[in-house]
Amino acid sequence: MNAALRLPATGGFTAPTVDEMHLPPFFELGTFEFGKQMLLILLSVVLIAGFFMWAIRRRALVPSKAQYLGESGYGFVRNHLGRDIIGEKEFRPYVPLLFTFFFFILVNNLFGSVPFVQLPTLSHAGSAYVLAGIAYVTWVFMGIKRHGLGGFMGKMTMPPDVPKALYVFLIPIEFLSNLIIRPVTHALRVFATMFAGHLALMVAASMTAYLVTQGGLLSIVSVGSTVLGIFIYFLEILIQVLQAYIFTLLFAVYVQGALQEGH
């Protein structure tokens, strides 16, 4: 290998670590820490509420561009994630929560692609688990309310058209899968993708910066890492949107399953 393409024996490239992904908190009050992640969560609430309140401020019969955009976003969640999944008769009470989940996750994910902000807040596991916990409590509560505790547990643990002798094995497996693993994977899916995507962008950016500073042929090689970084950036935007959709879609599917009549 050409000597100009080798990394130096000392002072070579050092990839970003997990600790570098999140800045230290701005201030602490006992065990409470307020940092960039929490600031962005609060900012997302202001941005979402502000946009939709501004978009519908006139409620004209012929909508403005802002009103059209706001109504289109609401209609997408209402119709495609509510009515089409949960059902025409059941979906309306869940539209506010579906709407909140989708746009809250969407904006907080997209923060990771905004220059100078560059932090998807759901790359913190705690935020993802809180959202999954809200979803979990909601569909379990509604399932118990609709079918009673015994009926709901039967739906979750006793698949239909299965020989009763197999329930000895299936009930614990279904209980673990539907009531324990499901909420965990619901959170991990969005957390893991945001965490991995953010770290991949950091590695690509730091690699490019390192290669440029080395000069010579390595600065030419940096063109390749720059292209890779741009590709990862746009791929991450796609994933950020998809994860907001998938999280909300799964919540709608869980609600529909909890509400449907017994087998």
Side-chain angles (χ1 to χ4, degrees):
M1 182 182 292
N2 190 304
L5 294 177
R6 295 177 189 154
L7 297 181
T10 59
F13 173 70
T14 302
T17 64
V18 173
D19 293 336
E20 293 174 309
M21 289 183 62
H22 303 124
L23 298 175
F26 299 143
F27 62 85
E28 300 180 23
L29 294 175
T31 58
F32 174 78
E33 297 181 348
F34 186 92
K36 182 178 180 180
Q37 186 251 1
M38 189 170 292
L39 177 63
L40 291 178
I41 286 178
L42 296 176
L43 177 61
S44 71
V45 174
V46 173
L47 291 175
I48 295 167
F51 170 75
F52 281 98
M53 291 176 65
W54 174 70
I56 64 172
R57 68 193 187 283
R58 295 179 181 175
R59 301 181 186 181
L61 184 61
V62 179
S64 63
K65 292 181 180 179
Q67 183 181 339
Y68 175 78
L69 185 60
E71 290 178 351
S72 296
Y74 172 80
F76 170 77
V77 175
R78 179 186 185 276
N79 297 329
H80 296 289
L81 295 175
R83 184 185 62 194
D84 293 349
I85 304 298
I86 300 175
E88 181 69 38
K89 296 180 180 179
E90 304 276 8
F91 81 98
R92 288 178 177 82
Y94 303 97
V95 172
L97 191 52
L98 291 167
F99 177 87
T100 301
F101 275 148
F102 180 77
F103 284 102
F104 179 80
I105 295 172
L106 178 64
V107 171
N108 279 279
N109 284 353
L110 289 175
F111 278 150
S113 298
V114 177
F116 305 108
V117 176
Q118 294 172 313
L119 175 64
T121 58
L122 294 181
S123 63
H124 285 253
S127 304
Y129 279 118
V130 168
L131 293 177
I134 295 172
Y136 178 77
V137 169
T138 300
W139 68 263
V140 169
F141 174 79
M142 297 309 302
I144 294 174
K145 182 179 179 181
R146 172 64 59 89
H147 305 287
L149 179 60
F152 176 73
M153 293 302 294
K155 283 175 58 61
M156 293 293 103
T157 60
M158 302 173 69
D161 304 323
V162 174
K164 292 184 179 180
L166 294 180
Y167 283 150
V168 175
F169 306 99
L170 288 177
I171 287 176
I173 293 174
E174 292 294 315
F175 178 86
L176 183 65
S177 174
N178 291 327
L179 297 173
I180 304 298
I181 296 178
R182 178 184 287 183
V184 174
T185 57
H186 200 190
L188 284 178
R189 187 177 288 104
V190 62
F191 157 70
T193 52
M194 292 303 100
F195 181 89
H198 189 48
L199 188 59
L201 282 173
M202 289 178 61
V203 170
S206 60
M207 174 61 80
T208 299
Y210 171 78
L211 292 174
V212 169
T213 59
Q214 295 306 301
L217 290 178
L218 286 178
S219 63
I220 299 176
V221 176
S222 68
V223 175
S225 63
T226 301
V227 172
L228 176 62
I230 293 173
F231 172 78
I232 294 174
Y233 176 80
F234 285 104
L235 178 63
E236 184 64 9
I237 292 176
L238 175 62
I239 294 174
Q240 288 162 354
V241 176
L242 283 177
Q243 283 304 317
Y245 175 78
I246 291 171
F247 186 98
T248 312
L249 174 68
L250 288 175
F251 171 67
V253 170
Y254 297 158
V255 169
Q256 189 274 336
L259 294 178
Q260 70 179 2
E261 296 301 323
H263 303 294

